[in-house]
Each structure stands twice: as structure tokens, then as C-alpha cells.
Amino acid sequence: MRTVVVQTEQQEAAKPIPVVAGAGISRTYGSGDTAVHALRDVSVEVMSGKLTAVMGPSGSGKSTLMHIFAGLDKPTEGDVWISGTALGELNDTQLTKLRREHIGFIFQFFNLLPMLSAKENIVLPLSIAGEKAEPAWLEQLTTTVGLQDRLSHRPSELSGGQQQRVAIARALVSKPTVMFADEPTGNLDSRTGAEILALLRESVDGYGQTTVMVTHDPHAAAIADRILFLADGQIVKDVGPSTTHEILAALEEVAAS
Ligand code: ADP
Ligand code: MG
């Protein structure tokens, strides 16, 4: 009898905590007749070490969801947990600390600081916190993203693909619990985009980097372990690895519903 109880407790303890959990998330902009319901009662969990893609028509709430998950915006209702910590219960200082330690973010338009070199941009999250990058990790990271000989260049001296590599390295330098990417290839030509995607996939497979990526590109979503489809502020479909063909069919289905 006792053995059974112990086993149950062990199973409870072993139950993995989601890296990201959202419960009943709504986000409304404005109020009254002109209110926009960007997210409507979204609940979802993301487990460790996976690449999740988020797809859906323009205006369906993808960016809003990424920003709320990453603590860059607050839900009107509901809450987000990062590794079990409820963001809604944190004050601004605590939230900033949690974001610094747990969250990486990659934007469509790179968002690098123009007056800093590539290397200074990469280590910026650590510099702000008064920390230094582990030299071996920084070396490995810059090699992985292929920037060893570009580290002293400013963003204006780099191509779009190189700038996004800097942004990826910056997001990974603090080994975040989860990395969010909002259309990371949206501003790149298809070949460069494919290289960036390969890099993201590599960080999932090589470092176990949990990643959530918004994309409108079925080829990009085809490298994901899971695909969430948003429509009109709700998750309307949640599928495992899919082919480009299956993703196109799902997008049509979502658009028609
Ligand atoms: P997506 O990234 O899927 O294109 P967004 O999350 O950016 O969609 O936007 C979802 C909805 O919320 C859209 O209708 C958009 O116009 C609206 N929205 C987004 N940000 C704001 C804002 N700051 N003020 C008002 N409406 C907004
Ligand atoms: Mg968007």
C-alpha cells in the first residue's frame, strides 16, 4: 500500500512543468464599440526542448500572444507562467529579472543597437545585468551563428541575414529557458531565411533550446515539432510535425472557418 503511495508521489514529482503556460488569456485593445479582441481566452502549454510554430492570418493575434508570453505586454484577463512562475504576480523589477534570465526574443526587424558592434550587441543582455559572457560559450555561439569574423562590425555593415544571426546570438547568450521569435525570416530573402531557420532548428536539437516561432511560411513551419494555428484571437488547431502540403491545407481550412 505504502509503495503505491510513494510511486504516485514520485510520478507527481516527475511530471514536467511546462516552460510556458497560458491560461484563459484575453487581450483587448480599446473599449466599447471600437474594442479589438486581439486574443480571446487562449490556454496553451509549451513543453521543454521543442520548436513550436505559430501560424495564422494577419491580425489573428500572433504577435500579441508572443509579447504576452514574453512579458512584453500584459493580458487583459488570464495569466502566463514561465517555468511555473506566474508573470501577473511579479512587480516590474521582478518581471525584468525573469525576462533577463528566462526569455530570449527575436524580432522581424532585428532590433539591434546601431552604435554597438556585433559582439557588443550579442553580449548586451549580460552587460546590462553587469555580467560577462562565459568566453567558451560566446566562442561556441558566434561560431554556430557564423559570425566569428564579423564581431567588430556595426549592424549597418552587416547584411540582413548577418544582423538576424547577431539577434539570435543575443537571444541565446544568456541561455534562456525559452526563445520567442516573431517572423524571424519575414524580412529576409528565402535562401537567407532558410539558413536562419536551420540555425533555430540546430539550437533546439543541439542545446535543447525551447523555441516558439511565429511564421507565415509553411516551409518554415514544416521544421517545427508542433504547429499552433490562430484565427481571430483563438487557437483553432494544434498539430504535430507536418509537411508543407499539410500545413497549406490546414491554413486554407483555418482561413475558411
Ligand atoms: P498578427 O501578429 O497575427 O498579425 P497582432 O497580434 O499584431 O496580429 O494583432 C491582433 C489584432 O490586434 C489586430 O486586429 C491588430 O490590429 C490589433 N492590435 C495589435 N496591437 C494593437 C494596439 N497596440 N492597439 C490597438 N490594436 C492593436
Ligand atoms: Mg505579427
Side-chain angles (χ1 to χ4, degrees):
M1 197 60 201
R2 183 171 164 71
T3 323
V4 173
V5 172
V6 169
Q7 266 182 354
T8 310
E9 278 173 1
Q10 279 174 344
Q11 281 165 356
E12 281 290 312
K15 194 176 167 218
I17 296 172
V19 173
V20 184
I25 300 172
S26 295
R27 177 64 167 104
T28 305
Y29 294 106
S31 59
D33 287 352
T34 56
V36 175
H37 301 282
L39 293 174
R40 297 185 293 149
D41 196 17
V42 171
S43 296
V44 65
E45 293 186 347
V46 175
M47 305 312 289
S48 178
K50 300 279 187 233
L51 175 58
T52 302
V54 178
M55 303 195 85
S58 179
S60 57
K62 304 180 298 293
S63 293
T64 304
L65 186 63
M66 289 305 101
H67 293 160
I68 286 177
F69 275 167
L72 297 167
D73 185 17
K74 287 183 166 41
T76 312
E77 277 174 66
D79 205 353
V80 171
W81 286 258
I82 299 289
S83 292
T85 301
L87 300 191
E89 290 170 11
L90 303 180
N91 63 32
D92 283 354
T93 312
Q94 292 168 324
L95 182 62
T96 302
K97 184 160 180 284
L98 178 135
R99 288 206 354 242
R100 205 161 60 210
E101 286 170 4
H102 290 284
I103 292 169
F105 207 104
I106 306 173
F107 300 87
Q108 180 176 348
F109 295 103
F110 325 135
N111 286 20
L112 302 177
L113 291 186
M115 61 291 199
L116 298 184
S117 69
K119 185 176 177 182
E120 288 164 341
N121 266 289
I122 292 170
V123 300
L124 186 64
L126 297 173
S127 321
I128 290 173
E131 291 166 18
K132 280 202 154 50
E134 280 169 47
W137 171 236
L138 189 59
E139 168 87 30
Q140 190 188 337
L141 195 53
T142 50
T143 307
T144 304
V145 299
L147 284 170
Q148 313 94 298
D149 55 353
R150 290 286 182 281
L151 289 176
S152 60
H153 291 57
R154 303 232 172 139
S156 61
E157 298 163 340
L158 299 172
S159 69
Q162 288 168 339
Q163 290 182 58
Q164 196 60 303
R165 288 165 186 276
V166 173
I168 291 173
R170 177 181 61 181
L172 290 176
V173 75
S174 52
K175 300 185 180 173
T177 310
V178 54
M179 177 152 85
F180 296 104
D182 193 355
E183 307 217 26
T185 63
N187 200 38
L188 301 173
D189 63 76
S190 59
R191 185 168 148 211
T192 310
E195 289 168 11
I196 293 296
L197 288 171
L199 196 52
L200 292 178
R201 183 70 245 183
E202 227 176 286
S203 74
V204 177
D205 295 336
Y207 309 135
Q209 177 61 59
T210 309
T211 302
V212 184
M213 166 184 78
V214 171
T215 181
H216 57 259
D217 178 0
H219 294 285
I223 69 162
D225 301 306
R226 179 186 182 190
I227 309 170
L228 303 174
F229 293 87
L230 275 180
D232 207 9
Q234 293 188 306
I235 293 176
V236 292
K237 212 172 170 60
D238 182 350
V239 302
S242 306
T243 63
T244 307
H245 187 75
E246 288 165 342
I247 295 165
L248 278 167
L251 281 172
E252 277 179 28
E253 184 193 320
V254 166
S257 64

